[in-house]
Amino acid sequence: MRPKTIVLIILEVVIVGVIIAIEFVYNKPSEKYGSNVFSHEEKRHGLSLALIAYANSLAIPLISSDDQVAKDTLNDVQDELDNQQVVGGLWEVVWGPALYRLGNTFYDNMMFVVQHRYMPWEYRIVIRGTNPVSLRNWIEEDFKVLKKVPWQRVLTHHKPTKSMSTALGSVSEGTFIALTGQNANFQDVGVKPGGGILMMKPCHGPHSDKTILQYLKWLSDTTYWYANVDIVGHSLGGLLSSTLHLYLEDLRSTWDPRSYVSIRSMSFAAPTAGDSVFANHANQVLNPSGNNTAARIHNERDVATYAWDNIDGLTSIYRYGWWSNLMSWLTPSGAIAKAIQQVVYNTVKNLDYKQPGHNEPFKAPFNYIFLDFWAQTLWQHTKGYTDEFNVPDGMFLAFFA
């Protein structure tokens, strides 16, 4: 090997070492701010459950019936609940899984409820995030943000008279589709079993006749003393966990008039559900002063959490030194990402989207193996969380099972 080549290799190693040292000193992982709603161990358990919800995402309705897919999904979920190293042996499915699909390719939404085997007053509602292999799921529920629907319309969705008041703010059309199965024109967009997470029911089991609201009403009516319910989800599931939490609190008098059921929510890696009026309403209900019940847990280097509240922040999200910043510009995907960011920012900047929830951020370390923007984005949205909360890395591959 030529001396010049050796010198260049040594120089490159020194540059990378300096960048890593600066990263460690100025951007330490696990930066926490303020008082937290959940302990670190609770978050660890919550994230583990949220990732288990990705099980059986590759199921195709044209190959198996809805009932068979539901049974297979239940078996996969319960197997993970029994054997996964963080939550193994502690939880059992008592409602669901309930499935919803927008078309005939994949199942786009899935939700289930588990009960603790040794503390039977503890329950968790678990909501799947975006199905990674369903393009329609991405388009309909993640990216439809140009139109908004009044939150009051969601609260009166099941009533003959629908309210269109914007006094409580509005949510994106994509959020409305995920909740109700209808678009901004109030037309059904899904197929059986349909209705969004508020309307879907399990295909089998002792509570197959109940929506999630009806199940919680049954729980409230039959519990002898009290029940604790945490709602958890990752990505789109995180957005829906906090949104479902608000829905249940706004309608509490209709299903839990005795207030026997306490509810909290922890959303991981969630994009934005609605506008600033909606966010303010959510914070007043879920996080009144000194009594936070909803935690927004997010990696400050996760692109998804900047949608659609702080798109302009993406221009600096991966500024990690002149050398690697130059590399991101030189890679085609880095330049494309910056161009897309500018287009999206100009499109949504006047729509007034704002993240609700009690912020509990952390900053995952930058992965210097992935200088490509999109590879880094995927890593920060997935492994950035599993590393932070010491959850098995393979959990994000559960949907391949």
Side-chain angles (χ1 to χ4, degrees):
M1 185 177 295
R2 296 179 179 179
K4 186 177 179 180
T5 303
I6 296 174
V7 170
L8 289 175
I9 293 174
I10 294 174
L11 182 61
E12 185 173 350
V13 170
V14 170
I15 291 174
V16 172
V18 170
I19 293 173
I20 293 175
I22 294 173
E23 171 75 16
F24 179 79
V25 172
Y26 291 102
N27 293 305
K28 293 180 180 179
S30 307
E31 292 180 309
K32 302 296 190 299
Y33 308 88
S35 58
N36 294 340
V37 178
F38 296 93
S39 68
H40 187 273
E41 192 62 21
E42 286 177 313
K43 293 175 185 176
R44 186 168 179 252
H45 279 245
L47 180 61
S48 296
L49 292 172
L51 302 188
I52 287 173
Y54 286 102
N56 204 32
S57 292
L58 288 178
I60 301 175
L62 295 179
I63 297 177
S64 302
S65 66
D66 293 328
D67 185 65
Q68 185 59 50
V69 170
K71 290 179 180 178
D72 292 342
T73 304
L74 174 61
N75 291 336
D76 289 349
V77 167
Q78 192 60 63
D79 183 65
E80 288 288 344
L81 291 172
D82 290 340
N83 299 298
Q84 199 261 354
Q85 70 181 56
V86 178
V87 299
L90 299 178
W91 301 93
E92 185 166 3
V93 177
V94 292
W95 179 91
L99 298 162
Y100 170 60
R101 52 187 171 92
L102 294 161
N104 292 316
T105 51
F106 299 100
Y107 292 85
D108 300 281
N109 299 110
M110 192 269 277
M111 179 168 61
F112 59 91
V113 180
V114 293
Q115 181 181 21
H116 202 286
R117 284 173 170 162
Y118 309 111
M119 296 183 288
W121 58 88
E122 293 288 343
Y123 294 81
R124 301 293 182 265
I125 300 173
V126 187
I127 307 174
R128 175 193 284 170
T130 304
N131 188 330
V133 295
S134 174
L135 179 61
R136 190 167 181 182
N137 197 191
W138 289 80
I139 294 172
E140 296 284 355
E141 298 184 2
D142 286 323
F143 297 141
K144 283 198 171 181
V145 297
L146 298 184
K147 295 180 180 179
K148 294 186 287 187
V149 179
W151 177 244
Q152 194 67 45
R153 180 64 168 74
V154 178
L155 297 178
T156 58
H157 175 70
H158 62 290
K159 297 181 179 179
T161 302
K162 323 291 187 187
S163 172
M164 293 298 291
S165 169
T166 58
L168 301 180
S170 300
V171 296
S172 70
E173 181 181 20
T175 300
F176 187 69
I177 291 172
L179 291 171
T180 68
Q182 291 188 333
N183 60 24
N185 296 320
F186 312 119
Q187 300 169 328
D188 292 332
V189 296
V191 296
K192 292 183 179 181
I197 69 165
L198 297 180
M199 307 304 293
M200 62 189 189
K201 300 177 181 178
C203 290
H204 57 84
H207 299 288
S208 59
D209 59 333
K210 298 179 180 67
T211 64
I212 190 62
L213 184 67
Q214 292 167 340
Y215 174 77
L216 291 174
K217 184 179 187 306
W218 170 85
L219 180 62
S220 173
D221 291 342
T222 57
T223 187
Y224 292 107
W225 188 244
Y226 68 93
N228 295 327
V229 177
D230 289 347
I231 312 174
V232 302
H234 169 268
S235 193
L236 175 64
L239 179 155
L240 294 175
S241 65
S242 58
T243 309
L244 176 61
H245 185 182
L246 179 62
Y247 177 84
L248 294 172
E249 291 294 358
D250 279 342
L251 298 181
R252 182 177 284 275
S253 62
T254 67
W255 65 273
D256 185 33
R258 302 178 299 171
S259 294
Y260 276 12
V261 180
S262 66
I263 302 179
R264 302 183 303 173
S265 61
M266 64 175 93
S267 67
F268 296 91
T272 314
D275 60 21
S276 61
V277 178
F278 171 79
N280 291 336
H281 169 62
N283 289 334
Q284 289 173 4
V285 174
L286 305 181
N287 295 313
S289 180
N291 186 29
N292 298 310
T293 62
R296 176 181 169 241
I297 304 160
H298 61 100
N299 174 9
E300 291 182 330
R301 286 190 167 130
D302 181 3
V303 168
T305 65
Y306 288 76
W308 308 95
D309 177 9
N310 186 26
I311 296 295
D312 56 330
L314 292 180
T315 57
S316 60
I317 188 173
Y318 294 149
R319 283 182 182 165
Y320 40 87
W322 68 268
W323 179 75
S324 47
N325 197 39
L326 175 64
M327 290 299 294
S328 72
W329 271 105
L330 293 177
T331 57
S333 66
I336 292 171
K338 292 177 185 297
I340 292 175
Q341 177 270 329
Q342 190 60 48
V343 172
V344 173
Y345 172 70
N346 291 334
T347 303
V348 305
K349 64 181 179 180
N350 295 322
L351 294 177
D352 192 33
Y353 281 103
K354 185 174 179 58
Q355 285 275 16
H358 179 69
N359 282 319
E360 298 187 11
F362 65 94
K363 184 174 286 186
F366 186 83
N367 189 317
Y368 291 92
I369 297 176
F370 301 121
L371 293 181
D372 178 83
F373 179 89
W374 300 112
Q376 187 70 215
T377 295
L378 178 61
W379 192 94
Q380 295 289 345
H381 189 60
T382 55
K383 203 169 185 300
Y385 291 84
T386 57
D387 282 1
E388 173 71 12
F389 296 105
N390 192 26
V391 172
D393 294 336
M395 288 308 301
F396 269 109
L397 299 178
F399 62 88
F400 287 118

